[in-house]
Amino acid sequence: MLIDTTLLVNNPEIIKALLDGSMKRHGSVIRWAAGTENGGQIVRHLAETPGLTSKLMGIPFSPILGGTDVIGHGLTYHKLIGIEKTLSSVMRLTQIAAGASVLNLGVSIAGFAYMGYKLHQIQNTLGHIQQSMEAGFNRVEAGLNRIENSVITGFNRVEAGLNRIDNRLDTISGQLAYLYLLVEDSRQKQQSLAKAISHVHQAMLIKEIAALQAELNDRSRFPDESPREAIKTASRVRLFLSNQAMQATPELEAEIMLNVDVSIQGWAVATATEANLLLEIGKHQEAKELLAIEVPKFKQVAERWGDELISEENSYLSTAYRFTNSRFEKHITTERVERITEISTSDRALSPDQIRGKKTNVDVEFGMSYSSSKFDETWTHRQIAVAEYLDALSELAARLESLESFAQLCESRGVKSSRDILPGADTEPGLYIL
């Protein structure tokens, strides 16, 4: 290892700055916060040891409904890397959309195995969702009400009903899980989504995802082999999936969001794979050039979706800050709202006074007498799904942007391979700062 690395938990200066807000995590880097003397400048890069990366593959994600109250990915993650819950919160790690998990938080020499595993999860998730949509389902609440009304018929029947509901709740977490909330109120929408998943399998999307996954698995098994074929595959998949993502017109429709989300997650993995392979063989300039093209395109797509899904007919609610209202407090954290504002062109440049004004208008609107009927439970669930979807886009954009910064670090240090500055397999497990 050619540069000093330190466990994050062993650096009191950075921990203090994160806690007092003078530094912020953005993707895979720690930056000086806006408003400080060096606002926006990178302080350190985050890196994962192979041991930590391997453990992160299987940690659970919190269910979308009640996600802020359930022990899931965020709380498990902060225990794995050995940081306090308070620090995890200021690092914005307590609630991250499952879709963003296709990329590592920190750069890692075990990243190829990790990304291959996450692509495999996408394919499995599609199968589970398709089965659910074909079978059809009613709202979880409706099922619970039926169970409550049937208590007098005996505990055996109640227990069986609860098991079915528990299975449904178990499914509503992880990649693409927000789709359940978008179609819960309509059997027709469920059938349409099932057909859309069939079309995804029939189209080139899954074929390309599978090809990239195969290359990632091969790379993790034979890390010393030439990466030329893997680079070619990643490049082909990147070009195809980015084109699919950019062609789609943003719209709050489950079928469209499904296709775009699969494309976007695959695009992110393909881009990260190609860039990391180039960095491994010392092609730092080529990696920088690749990311200089892909990162702005990715951010542009994220902003298009952000602007469309945040837009509301009611102008007072046409802001990401509507998610700060008390009706969302059990499902959407403040850190998630902050990330979403980063891809909202109408929200991210607001002053503190303007933000307070937006929040006040939102609270007043939701307090109106007509709000309970106009903004009912179905509407609220769709908004929770929107927040999950946009959070993934924002975090993925930030992590790709961080990879661009890591490529610049490799070039500035003159290393022959990115592996030279990353924690090795024999390093104490944890999250390091470079």
Side-chain angles (χ1 to χ4, degrees), residues 65-138:
L65 294 176
T68 63
D69 291 334
V70 180
I71 294 178
H73 180 274
L75 295 180
T76 306
Y77 187 88
H78 90 253
K79 290 179 180 178
L80 278 177
I81 62 177
I83 63 175
E84 296 295 328
K85 184 178 178 181
T86 303
L87 181 57
S88 178
S89 179
V90 298
M91 287 183 69
R92 303 196 300 184
L93 295 173
T94 55
Q95 186 188 37
I96 295 180
S101 72
V102 294
L103 298 184
N104 304 70
L105 172 63
V107 285
S108 170
I109 63 174
F112 298 119
Y114 176 90
M115 290 187 289
Y117 174 80
K118 288 298 180 178
L119 290 182
H120 179 65
Q121 277 192 325
I122 292 176
Q123 296 172 68
N124 283 346
T125 301
L126 283 170
H128 291 315
I129 295 176
Q130 184 175 13
Q131 291 175 9
S132 297
M133 299 304 160
E134 288 173 346
F137 66 93
N138 296 320

Side-chain angles (χ1 to χ4, degrees), residues 311-319 322 365 370 374-375:
S311 177
E312 277 282 324
E313 183 179 352
N314 184 318
S315 60
Y316 292 120
L317 301 182
S318 196
T319 171
R322 67 173 177 262
E365 190 62 26
Y370 54 75
K374 187 173 183 180
F375 308 115

Side-chain angles (χ1 to χ4, degrees), residues 22 31-43:
S22 56
R31 295 179 182 271
W32 287 106
T36 61
E37 183 179 353
N38 300 309
Q41 291 185 16
I42 293 175
V43 180

Side-chain angles (χ1 to χ4, degrees), residues 63-65 97-99 125-126 129 133 137 171-184 193 252-262 265 305 309 336 381-390 392-393:
I64 294 179
L65 294 176
T125 301
L126 283 170
I129 295 176
M133 299 304 160
F137 66 93
T171 308
I172 306 180
S173 64
Q175 293 153 295
L176 308 175
Y178 60 87
L179 292 169
Y180 284 94
L181 300 185
L182 294 178
V183 299
E184 66 172 350
L193 183 56
L252 186 56
E253 288 294 336
E255 298 96 305
I256 297 174
M257 292 170 71
L258 164 69
N259 280 277
V260 172
D261 202 10
V262 172
Q265 291 188 41
W305 277 94
L309 297 188
R336 171 162 287 186
H381 282 184
R382 287 171 72 86
Q383 295 306 305
I384 294 168
V386 165
E388 173 82 9
Y389 190 83
L390 295 181
L393 287 176

